[in-house]
Amino acid sequence: GLDVVGPTMDDLIDPNHLKYEAQNLTPAALEERMREVDEFYAEPRFFGKVLASYETSLKSISERNGYAALWRGARACAWIALDPKESTSRREEFALKGMAMGKEAVKKASTRPESFYYYALSLGALCDLKKDASRELLHRMRDNMKIAAAIDEKYDYCGPLRFLGELLIKTDPY
């Protein structure tokens, strides 16, 4: 018979959830891939290099290194989503991809500040682009950034605290 696989519950609840195949790479190969991912993301940054960082991350997701590729992929997506030089449609696409990777990173690598940080940055990018933020979305951004700050408030030059301050200022009328 035919094996027909319908949508999973995750597809119905969250159509943007990350679909990936975990890789069975050796520890040495994974280390090399993470080095490549970080190299592509290194300054100076521009779309092509950051896209390569994202795509390499997507092909390097593995339990063997604590799912380190997930937060790195979310980082690349957040950078593209926040880049004012990119088109609105491209920024929105990468905000959604960053949210999917970040959400998965939070699930799989929840001891790292990066998982929560880049997930919240992607959420924020989408809110800015859509000029719309529900109370639930604002709370999700705030809560994820608070977790990132609790794990390491100095991460990315105190990025979690800077984000929370900006969020307070922007949402004060709320």
Side-chain angles (χ1 to χ4, degrees), residues 13-133:
I13 294 168
D14 183 4
N16 296 312
H17 91 275
L18 184 67
K19 294 171 183 70
Y20 67 93
E21 206 171 294
Q23 301 299 306
N24 191 15
L25 299 165
T26 65
L30 278 170
E31 195 176 311
E32 175 62 20
R33 287 265 183 97
M34 294 309 99
R35 194 188 59 67
E36 280 175 28
V37 166
D38 290 340
E39 228 169 68
F40 286 134
Y41 188 75
E43 298 278 359
R45 288 187 197 113
F46 52 87
F47 178 75
K49 270 180 62 185
V50 177
L51 180 63
S53 179
Y54 164 72
E55 288 175 341
T56 306
S57 294
L58 204 52
K59 295 180 195 136
S60 308
I61 298 169
S62 174
E63 185 179 8
R64 280 195 172 149
N65 67 349
Y67 295 99
L70 286 170
W71 70 258
R72 283 176 167 88
R75 172 184 68 184
C77 291
W79 186 87
I80 293 169
L82 292 165
D83 184 2
K85 293 188 294 293
E86 295 303 327
S87 69
T88 302
S89 62
R90 182 178 275 169
R91 290 173 66 193
E92 194 174 304
E93 173 192 346
F94 279 91
L96 291 169
K97 287 179 179 183
M99 286 166 55
M101 282 197 100
K103 192 174 184 181
E104 193 67 15
V106 163
K107 274 196 258 176
K108 302 282 190 182
S110 60
T111 59
R112 302 198 57 106
E114 298 93 337
S115 301
F116 299 95
Y117 183 70
Y118 294 113
Y119 178 46
L121 282 182
S122 294
L123 288 167
L126 189 67
C127 285
D128 282 349
L129 290 165
K130 294 277 193 194
K131 302 286 183 240
D132 180 35

Side-chain angles (χ1 to χ4, degrees), residues 120-174:
L121 282 182
S122 294
L123 288 167
L126 189 67
C127 285
D128 282 349
L129 290 165
K130 294 277 193 194
K131 302 286 183 240
D132 180 35
S134 67
R135 180 171 296 259
E136 189 267 331
L137 206 54
L138 291 171
H139 285 185
R140 200 177 330 159
M141 271 191 290
R142 179 201 64 198
D143 295 346
N144 278 280
M145 211 43 98
K146 279 184 172 180
I147 294 168
I151 296 170
D152 182 2
E153 67 183 22
K154 289 184 169 77
Y155 179 73
D156 195 26
Y157 307 98
C158 299
L161 297 177
R162 288 184 290 117
F163 182 96
L164 288 167
E166 195 176 324
L167 187 64
L168 279 172
I169 290 166
K170 283 182 176 178
T171 60
D172 187 46
Y174 256 91

